[in-house]
């Protein structure tokens, strides 16, 4: 399994018991969707390694307590601390309306209600306080805030996003 075929689920943050149980901090608003998984991919030195789950349960809000097959002591658990967890993309629950996963809008065209066609989304930058669409407009990179109030319509079929951007935002990049 390749990383690009998966989504980031969370990170193993600490050991829970001397029997190899682990606690993983989940990167989701709905942790209950992931409390009965059969398997998970663990990123070990850049390679996704599948682990079957013997037992799992939610532990204090967004932590998932995991007992992985073949992880039976503290030493085994230590080797997995700070490792990222991934699941195949097809396990993501479908979203509707204007909600979307960052990976699914790459390649979508952005249009502005007033300006018209803006460009194509090349990436999403979520390392800043406000997540941004990185948009290519004929070789010029534009950074468009991903604010719910700006997104008027997301059309998955046509791969387009209609936005109502603040006046002058696009012009900042084109002058």
């Amino acid at each position: 399994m390749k990383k690009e075929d998966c989504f980031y689920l969370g990170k193993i943050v600490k050991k829970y018991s001397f029997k190899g149980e682990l606690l993983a901090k989940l990167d989701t608003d709905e942790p209950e969707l992931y409390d009965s998984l059969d398997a998970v991919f663990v990123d070990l030195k850049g390679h996704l390694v599948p682990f079957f789950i013997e037992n799992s349960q939610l532990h204090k809000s967004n932590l998932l307590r995991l007992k992985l097959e073949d992880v039976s002591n503290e030493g085994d658990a230590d080797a997995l601390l700070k490792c990222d967890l991934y699941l195949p993309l097809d396990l993501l629950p479908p979203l509707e309306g204007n909600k979307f996963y960052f990976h699914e809008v790459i390649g979508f065209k952005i249009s502005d209600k007033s300006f018209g066609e803006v460009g194509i989304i090349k990436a999403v930058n979520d390392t800043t306080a406000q997540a941004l669409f990185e948009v290519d407009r004929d070789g010029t990179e534009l950074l468009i805030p991903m604010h719910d109030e700006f997104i008027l319509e997301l059309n998955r079929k046509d791969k387009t996003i209609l936005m109502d951007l603040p006046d002058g935002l696009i012009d900042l990049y084109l002058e």
Side-chain angles (χ1 to χ4, degrees), residues 16-22 66-68 71-74 77:
Y16 184 76
S17 74
F18 65 89
K19 295 180 182 180
E21 287 181 295
L22 298 158
L66 292 168
K67 176 64 178 103
L68 301 176
V71 178
S72 56
N73 58 50
E74 287 188 72

Side-chain angles (χ1 to χ4, degrees), residues 7-43:
F7 68 95
Y8 175 76
L9 178 64
K11 180 183 282 290
I12 297 172
V13 292
K14 63 193 230 181
K15 297 180 287 187
Y16 184 76
S17 74
F18 65 89
K19 295 180 182 180
E21 287 181 295
L22 298 158
L23 289 177
K25 184 174 185 345
L26 300 182
D27 183 33
T28 177
D29 295 333
E30 300 177 278
E32 63 278 359
L33 294 175
Y34 304 102
D35 68 351
S36 59
L37 296 170
D38 296 325
V40 67
F41 288 96
V42 178
D43 184 349

Side-chain angles (χ1 to χ4, degrees), residues 7-10 24-37 57-64 87 91-96 99-101:
F7 68 95
Y8 175 76
L9 178 64
K25 184 174 185 345
L26 300 182
D27 183 33
T28 177
D29 295 333
E30 300 177 278
E32 63 278 359
L33 294 175
Y34 304 102
D35 68 351
S36 59
L37 296 170
Q57 66 186 49
L58 286 177
H59 180 81
K60 296 183 181 175
S61 69
N62 66 341
L63 291 176
L64 184 66
L87 288 174
L91 292 181
L92 277 173
L95 296 178
E96 296 178 351
K99 294 184 183 246
F100 57 87
Y101 295 110

